[in-house]
Amino acid sequence: MQLTSLLSAIVALVMAPLAILASPAETLGNRDFPDPAITLDPRTHEWYTFATNSNGKNVQAAYSPNPHDGPWTYVEHDLLPTPGKWVNPDQYDIWAPDVHYFEATDSFVMYYSGLLADSPYHCIGIATAENITGPYEALDEPFACPDSEGGAIDASGYLDPFDGSFFVVYKVDGSSKGPGGPCGNGDPPGEPTPFRLQRVNESDGITPIGHYTEILDRDPELDGPLIEAPNLIRTWNGTFVLFYSSHCYNTPEYDIKYATADQIEGPYHRRGELMGPNTTSFGFDGPGGASSVRGGGIMVFHANCDAGRCMYVTEFGVDEDGIVTLQD
């Protein structure tokens, strides 16, 4: 598929207001599938999700012809059997993978977090493959590695539907070097956990362009020890919506929040909790790690289940004022 055709399809999606259709639905049953990211394979027109290491795999995946109605089929092989050389060979700890297709190279690029070989912190790496299900071949060096600040996790790619520019947004994992408390950073004063936005060459998805911009950081009163899992979309009227989670993933306060901006580099204005203990949780415990399709409308996320953290999917709407609404 030509890039212009792909962009045209995305523009068509984002140029119409999004309808509110259905409440969250189960996808893979009782299977641990944390930090899901969702993308469309332009070759097969099937939807794929990718998840943190579990079930004997570094990177998990599943696919469906229809992201909300399913059915979802689990991919039985490991998409990233060998992470980058910078990853700890004894403990990979591959978290929160995200995959995007690049027409110029006719290949798929995966962004993932891995535990450093000589440090207690994670950093972000890149791997590429000819097919969406891999196997992915990892680059030798990390993409983003602020080791002195606690490392980096939760990378998520963003393709602008209007000008074709590409960005990666990620979390500086300051909570990993915090003073203690929930998620190691709940005790005051705590470390910053900012989201950084890095423009990347839209032809290869690998080469950084310019310097990063910090677009949001935790507010201890609102977010507790951290913010994490950033995911960026642009809606039908040009509004940028930044989904993220706050508080500690293993506490009842964990949630899905969002902020909006008129420009990709901000300023971003907090809009509050979208799903969690202070709004509606649809009966879920610890919803978080949300990822939207390009342009919005459909979102996958995880919540606690018997197996660990299972994946669910929901549909949402964004009005002309940037207010996101889930179906009750």
Side-chain angles (χ1 to χ4, degrees):
M1 175 182 288
Q2 295 297 313
L3 179 60
T4 53
S5 300
L6 179 59
L7 287 174
S8 296
I10 296 170
V11 169
L13 174 65
V14 303
M15 288 305 288
L18 303 173
I20 304 166
L21 298 175
S23 56
E26 188 178 78
T27 57
L28 292 167
N30 187 35
R31 184 187 295 271
D32 189 38
F33 202 83
D35 309 312
I38 186 168
T39 193
L40 177 68
D41 182 353
R43 297 173 179 167
T44 65
H45 303 288
E46 290 187 302
W47 294 90
Y48 279 79
T49 54
F50 309 88
T52 285
N53 65 293
S54 187
N55 298 301
K57 302 172 183 64
N58 293 322
V59 171
Q60 303 183 87
Y63 63 93
S64 173
N66 184 308
H68 190 273
D69 296 331
W72 284 91
T73 301
Y74 186 72
V75 176
E76 295 294 344
H77 65 268
D78 189 348
L79 274 65
L80 185 67
T82 306
K85 294 179 180 179
W86 53 274
V87 176
N88 189 322
D90 299 318
Q91 185 179 349
Y92 293 152
D93 261 4
I94 305 302
W95 296 349
D98 186 34
V99 171
H100 292 264
Y101 174 76
F102 290 86
E103 188 272 338
T105 57
D106 191 27
S107 64
F108 295 88
V109 175
M110 175 187 290
Y111 308 96
Y112 68 95
S113 304
L115 184 65
L116 287 166
D118 55 358
S119 168
Y121 306 131
H122 282 70
C123 281
I124 293 166
I126 290 178
T128 62
E130 294 181 358
N131 299 299
I132 195 167
T133 55
Y136 285 79
E137 183 176 349
L139 275 62
D140 289 343
E141 300 296 328
F143 169 77
C145 196
D147 191 17
S148 64
E149 300 172 79
I153 61 172
D154 294 349
S156 177
Y158 165 78
L159 174 67
D160 191 275
F162 296 97
D163 65 14
S165 58
F166 193 85
F167 295 80
V168 174
V169 60
Y170 59 91
K171 172 201 174 184
V172 176
D173 198 21
S175 49
S176 66
K177 56 175 294 186
C183 274
N185 203 41
D187 294 342
E191 294 288 332
T193 62
F195 294 153
R196 287 180 177 167
L197 181 73
Q198 175 66 63
R199 185 168 184 177
V200 178
N201 187 301
E202 60 269 20
S203 296
D204 62 20
I206 295 172
T207 308
I209 298 175
H211 197 259
Y212 63 78
T213 300
E214 292 194 352
I215 58 174
L216 196 71
D217 201 351
R218 76 181 184 104
D219 181 329
E221 296 298 320
L222 299 175
D223 305 317
L226 56 81
I227 55 174
E228 63 183 11
N231 179 248
L232 185 63
I233 64 168
R234 194 174 188 182
T235 65
W236 60 275
N237 66 349
T239 299
F240 292 93
V241 181
L242 176 67
F243 297 106
Y244 62 98
S245 289
S246 71
H247 295 89
C248 190
Y249 78 97
N250 58 7
T251 66
E253 293 78 23
Y254 199 59
D255 57 19
I256 300 170
K257 291 178 175 176
Y258 74 105
T260 60
D262 294 328
Q263 305 293 328
I264 192 168
E265 294 183 343
Y268 281 83
H269 304 285
R270 296 171 183 268
R271 295 300 190 107
E273 185 182 277
L274 185 62
M275 187 186 301
N278 298 312
T279 52
T280 178
S281 64
F282 298 97
F284 294 119
D285 176 29
S291 172
S292 171
V293 302
R294 287 174 177 170
I298 297 174
M299 171 191 294
V300 293
F301 64 95
H302 69 240
N304 293 331
C305 61
D306 289 343
R309 288 175 289 170
C310 294
M311 182 177 73
Y312 301 89
V313 60
T314 191
E315 294 174 309
F316 64 93
V318 185
D319 70 16
E320 61 183 9
D321 296 319
I323 303 299
V324 179
T325 307
L326 299 176
Q327 175 76 21
D328 289 332

